[in-house]
């Protein structure tokens, strides 16, 4: 282990403290941005829609919710479908590219995902995790059995709007109340169909999305800055202990 002189160690520790403070500021900013995003949507919906005006989710679906494929993941190649599992989705509803796996094409065509298909995890510690599918992110993909697919009627709900709704305390209170019981929390397709939600008009949803997307872009910018800062910090300390930084 390369141990620099005491004075050099002090300098490195000073930089480390500043880097830690900087990273904490990034995290606090990201948390605040996400809180404001959720608070905006929650406040708007609860003020505009008293509970007696909420409707069942299945009134806004093209068809009943569907369960995914019961396949064992295999190596992802040009000869397979991309296989999207709960563990491939992070807490922000994004695909984890390092977890890319495949599934056989034969017999799995009915699980193919299409633009704006919406997935919800239905069991375990990840129940309620969501993913809005875009072909540009994962072309020729199917979804696994611990996920439930929703296909929205675009005349009633914009899928992107529902993505943000699923981050609000309104959704999570419903989830916590519904997923109780058994050894681990779980929800099923029927429960999701019966979920009552406030549904603004499509025009109103679009207006709200302008604000929500603004928060989302700010979150992405903060996340990008945090990652860049983290990488620079790692590079600095790697070089510092090898005598490469003066």
């Amino acid at each position: 282990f390369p141990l620099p002189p005491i004075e050099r160690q002090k300098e490195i520790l000073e930089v480390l403290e500043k880097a830690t403070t900087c990273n904490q500021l990034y995290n606090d900013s990201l948390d605040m941005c996400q809180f404001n995003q959720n608070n905006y949507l929650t406040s708007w919906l609860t003020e505009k829609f008293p509970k007696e005006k909420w409707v069942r989710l299945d009134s806004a679906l093209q068809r009943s919710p569907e369960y995914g494929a019961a396949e064992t993941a295999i190596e992802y190649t040009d000869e397979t479908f991309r296989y999207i599992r709960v563990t491939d989705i992070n807490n922000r509803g994004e695909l984890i590219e390092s977890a890319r796996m495949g599934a056989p094409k034969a017999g799995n065509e009915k699980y193919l995902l299409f633009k704006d298909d919406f997935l919800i995890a239905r069991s375990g510690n990840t129940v309620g995790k969501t993913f809005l599918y875009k072909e540009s992110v994962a072309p020729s993909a199917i979804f696994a059995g611990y996920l439930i697919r929703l296909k929205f009627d675009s005349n009633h709900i914009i899928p992107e709007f529902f993505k943000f709704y699923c981050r609000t305390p309104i959704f999570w209170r419903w989830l916590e109340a519904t997923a109780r019981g058994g050894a681990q929390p779980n929800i099923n397709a029927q429960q999701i169909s019966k979920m009552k939600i406030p549904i603004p008009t499509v025009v109103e949803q679009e207006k709200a999305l302008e604000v929500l997307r603004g928060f989302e872009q700010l979150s992405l910018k903060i996340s990008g800055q945090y990652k860049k800062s983290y990488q620079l910090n790692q590079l600095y300390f790697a070089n510092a202990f090898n005598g490469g930084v003066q």
Side-chain angles (χ1 to χ4, degrees):
F1 181 78
L3 191 62
I6 291 296
E7 289 303 315
R8 184 69 183 128
Q9 292 178 42
K10 290 179 180 179
E11 293 175 4
I12 294 171
L13 281 173
E14 184 178 350
V15 174
L16 176 60
E17 289 173 357
K18 291 179 179 179
T20 301
T21 300
C22 182
N23 288 341
Q24 186 59 53
L25 287 172
Y26 278 131
N27 284 328
D28 291 346
S29 298
L30 185 59
D31 289 344
M32 181 58 68
C33 184
Q34 293 169 357
F35 171 81
N36 288 335
Q37 182 186 67
N38 292 336
N39 187 58
Y40 161 76
L41 184 54
T42 300
S43 300
W44 180 63
L45 290 174
T46 52
E47 290 173 9
K48 184 176 178 61
F49 294 92
K51 285 199 172 182
E52 58 267 22
K53 291 187 178 181
W54 293 17
V55 298
R56 283 175 44 145
L57 183 65
D58 57 6
S59 67
L61 298 178
Q62 295 180 27
R63 58 185 190 232
S64 298
E66 303 163 302
Y67 297 103
E71 288 284 351
T72 299
I74 60 176
E75 182 182 359
Y76 176 63
T77 69
D78 292 340
E79 303 302 317
T80 69
F81 287 135
R82 170 78 182 270
Y83 195 32
I84 297 177
R85 306 158 298 166
V86 177
T87 52
D88 299 337
I89 304 168
N90 67 21
N91 290 330
R92 291 291 296 166
E94 304 159 334
L95 280 186
I96 303 169
E97 286 305 309
S98 60
R100 187 183 300 186
M101 297 297 289
K105 290 186 176 182
N108 285 318
E109 291 83 0
K110 67 178 180 178
Y111 302 113
L112 266 173
L113 291 166
F114 296 93
K115 183 178 180 291
D116 287 337
D117 280 357
F118 195 85
L119 303 178
I120 298 182
R122 64 182 178 89
S123 184
N125 294 330
T126 57
V127 65
K129 185 185 284 188
T130 61
F131 175 65
L132 178 60
Y133 177 73
K134 300 292 182 184
E135 291 179 356
S136 59
V137 175
S140 298
I142 66 171
F143 63 109
Y146 281 99
L147 292 163
I148 295 175
R149 170 166 60 184
L150 306 179
K151 282 185 170 290
F152 288 105
D153 180 343
S154 59
N155 293 314
H156 291 89
I157 290 185
I158 301 171
E160 185 184 6
F161 181 84
F162 190 73
K163 177 188 76 172
F164 289 115
Y165 177 80
C166 288
R167 297 177 185 175
T168 66
I170 306 173
F171 171 78
W172 284 96
R173 283 195 295 268
W174 169 85
L175 186 70
E176 289 170 4
T178 306
R180 292 174 181 166
Q184 59 181 354
N186 65 84
I187 53 175
N188 59 44
Q190 186 177 22
Q191 289 170 320
I192 292 175
S193 292
K194 292 180 178 179
M195 174 172 53
K196 285 197 170 183
I197 64 170
I199 302 182
T201 65
V202 170
V203 173
E204 290 172 323
Q205 291 176 47
E206 283 286 8
K207 289 181 179 178
L209 279 171
E210 291 178 9
V211 178
L212 295 168
R213 288 167 183 152
F215 282 121
E216 190 80 347
Q217 287 302 312
L218 181 56
S219 292
L220 290 173
K221 184 176 180 180
I222 294 170
S223 295
Q225 290 172 335
Y226 171 81
K227 290 176 182 176
K228 184 180 293 185
S229 174
Y230 178 81
Q231 290 168 351
L232 288 173
N233 291 338
Q234 293 295 101
L235 181 62
Y236 172 86
F237 292 115
N239 288 334
F241 283 101
N242 288 317
V245 176
Q246 301 299 326

